[in-house]
Amino acid sequence: MSYFEAFPKTTFNNETVLDITRRAKIVTRIRDLVYDYATYTVKEGERPEDIAYFYYDDATYAWLVLLANDIVDPFSDWAKSQEELEEYIKLKYEAQSGETGRAVLEWAQNETITENIVHYESKFNSNIKLNVATHTEFPNAEFRAVRVYDYEVAQNEAKREITLINRRYLTKIEQLVKEALSE
């Protein structure tokens, strides 16, 4: 099933476009139906199409991999490869660092400056975080600085843990999608 080809068309700004707002109906119906998920860790450089091919035997089910994980924008919400992540950091922090290219990455990891600190994290419980301003109120506390590079790496790694809808639901999901799109 080609996911986007099935979406109805609508008019927006005097142009005919796909009515992607139907996605909300699809998500709701699938969540009401499916209770059986598998967890999966995305490997370096792996794309939704690769996982769909591996798990569902069909790369065209990449849309289901994304849908199951509430990913709307795979360019920003999907785990990046190391190279992609470093390019992302260079672009995102170029202005803040005042650097370009590899120098941005060096700035993002530099432990001798404070401009690259995103927050402080408890050495004993990583769920306890302080912002840069609040950290000064706890001078004797055991917190470590989390710098831009480590922060972005952690954010990216968190995106590697995804869920996959059990493949036995494929026929039912396709039926639900068709119904939601035809309404």
Side-chain angles (χ1 to χ4, degrees):
M1 173 183 168
S2 179
Y3 182 65
F4 285 110
E5 288 177 10
F7 276 76
K9 304 227 184 318
T10 189
T11 303
F12 180 76
N13 286 343
N14 295 323
E15 288 189 44
T16 302
V17 296
L18 293 178
D19 183 5
I20 59 171
T21 62
R22 302 287 178 102
R23 180 184 183 279
K25 281 185 182 180
I26 295 168
V27 169
T28 302
R29 289 182 180 185
I30 289 174
R31 285 190 181 141
D32 289 345
L33 165 77
V34 179
Y35 302 103
D36 192 4
Y37 294 90
T39 57
Y40 184 82
T41 303
V42 178
K43 296 174 190 71
E44 176 75 11
E46 207 167 28
R47 308 301 311 156
E49 297 81 12
D50 303 325
I51 295 167
Y53 181 77
F54 166 74
Y55 189 71
Y56 299 116
D57 295 323
D58 188 342
T60 63
Y61 282 110
W63 64 269
L64 188 55
V65 173
L66 298 172
L67 194 74
N69 292 282
D70 203 23
I71 295 174
V72 177
D73 179 3
F75 298 105
S76 62
D77 298 337
W78 188 259
K80 294 168 178 48
S81 69
Q82 185 65 30
E83 183 179 331
E84 291 168 333
L85 178 61
E86 289 187 355
E87 288 303 313
Y88 169 77
I89 292 170
K90 288 178 199 176
L91 290 172
K92 182 175 179 182
Y93 294 98
E94 184 176 61
Q96 183 179 343
S97 69
E99 303 288 347
T100 59
R102 289 233 28 105
V104 176
L105 298 176
E106 292 166 10
W107 171 88
Q109 299 175 73
N110 187 336
E111 294 184 9
T112 64
I113 62 174
T114 58
E115 294 81 19
N116 64 358
I117 297 173
V118 176
H119 62 258
Y120 289 85
E121 187 175 277
S122 169
K123 292 180 181 177
F124 306 109
N125 182 344
S126 62
N127 291 323
I128 300 174
K129 295 175 177 48
L130 299 175
N131 66 33
V132 176
T134 307
H135 176 259
T136 59
E137 297 173 20
F138 297 90
N140 297 326
E142 294 288 328
F143 286 86
R144 71 174 188 85
V146 176
R147 299 182 189 283
V148 164
Y149 190 86
D150 292 333
Y151 171 79
E152 292 295 347
V153 167
Q155 293 294 304
N156 192 56
E157 287 305 305
K159 294 174 184 176
R160 292 197 184 282
E161 297 302 316
I162 64 168
T163 56
L164 300 172
I165 297 172
N166 190 309
R167 63 181 133 238
R168 71 177 171 194
Y169 292 105
L170 285 178
T171 305
K172 184 65 177 171
I173 288 171
E174 284 185 347
Q175 178 186 344
L176 288 175
V177 168
K178 286 176 184 172
E179 289 172 6
L181 294 175
S182 67
E183 292 177 352

